Amino acid sequence: MVHRRDSFGVFVLNNINDGIIAKTQFFPSSTINPTIPISTPLTFPFQKKRVLMVFDKNNWWNPLGGHIEENETWEQALIREAFEEGGVDISKNRIFGYIRVEKISGNCGVYPPITQIPMTRSVITKFHDNWTKMETSDRRFFSITEALTALSERGDNQQMLQIFSYLTKSL
């Protein structure tokens, strides 16, 4: 994947493998935009002062979340994905912003040309020791400082680092 920062808060993503080029921008908000379809909700789940992140197929540490299945709300998808990806049950999902994704070129599959990704923080209510890895290769609790470091080491546009930095200012 090749990424470049276009201007503050606006990023252009060029996914070479899928041929998708999209513009993304994070909007701090306690609500999501009701006029834009939702593609993939994400959450930073906390247990006390530690955040759980997962190591994904791109070899990056990420918040938990994923695609919405048929007849599923984005909140239901977030709860399901937290269990599948991180082996945790979550509650108290609170929106702190959303990423607006606008396709520039390429095939986005089932998603419309403009979607949004709700960004939430949540509370871990149960940690499952006997978790079966499905879409991720690892999970780990990070202190806020450790999470900032892990997100800064990603080989992308640093947008997730900026989003998490924004979130931690309100903790």
Side-chain angles (χ1 to χ4, degrees):
M1 296 183 111
V2 176
H3 306 270
R4 74 176 192 275
R5 187 172 178 166
D6 217 25
S7 65
F8 183 75
V10 178
F11 298 86
V12 175
L13 280 70
N14 182 2
N15 185 327
I16 295 169
N17 295 332
D18 297 328
I20 299 170
I21 299 174
K23 180 171 70 170
T24 65
Q25 184 172 9
F26 174 69
F27 293 90
S29 176
S30 60
T31 61
I32 55 175
N33 186 324
T35 65
I36 302 175
I38 297 169
S39 60
T40 308
L42 298 176
T43 192
F44 285 102
F46 284 84
Q47 186 175 62
K48 299 183 182 174
K49 294 187 179 197
R50 301 177 308 151
V51 63
L52 183 74
M53 292 195 299
V54 292
F55 203 66
D56 71 8
K57 62 186 174 193
N58 294 316
N59 296 320
W60 296 340
W61 288 103
N62 268 317
L64 282 63
H67 301 289
I68 301 169
E69 294 181 356
E70 189 174 343
N71 298 319
E72 192 175 49
T73 67
W74 72 265
E75 294 96 338
Q76 291 167 331
L78 194 61
I79 291 167
R80 176 184 50 77
E81 289 284 351
F83 177 76
E84 289 176 3
E85 289 187 356
V88 293
D89 296 340
I90 59 171
S91 67
K92 299 182 182 176
N93 299 316
R94 294 201 179 124
I95 296 169
F96 67 90
Y98 63 93
I99 301 171
R100 182 180 185 275
V101 181
E102 180 179 349
K103 179 187 88 165
I104 296 172
S105 68
N107 182 3
C108 291
V110 299
Y111 295 112
I114 297 176
T115 62
Q116 67 181 319
I117 299 171
M119 296 300 304
T120 70
R121 67 171 292 191
S122 56
V123 174
I124 295 172
T125 56
K126 184 171 183 180
F127 184 86
H128 297 272
D129 291 321
N130 296 327
W131 162 65
T132 302
K133 298 174 186 174
M134 295 178 77
E135 301 172 11
T136 57
S137 62
D138 200 2
R139 64 180 177 176
R140 181 175 151 208
F141 279 103
F142 293 85
S143 69
I144 289 174
T145 302
E146 292 168 336
L148 289 166
T149 299
L151 291 170
S152 72
E153 294 171 349
R154 292 170 48 130
D156 66 353
N157 59 22
Q158 302 296 297
Q159 187 175 38
M160 201 55 66
L161 172 63
Q162 288 186 3
I163 291 169
F164 186 72
S165 296
Y166 169 79
L167 169 62
T168 61
K169 291 177 186 172
S170 66
L171 297 178

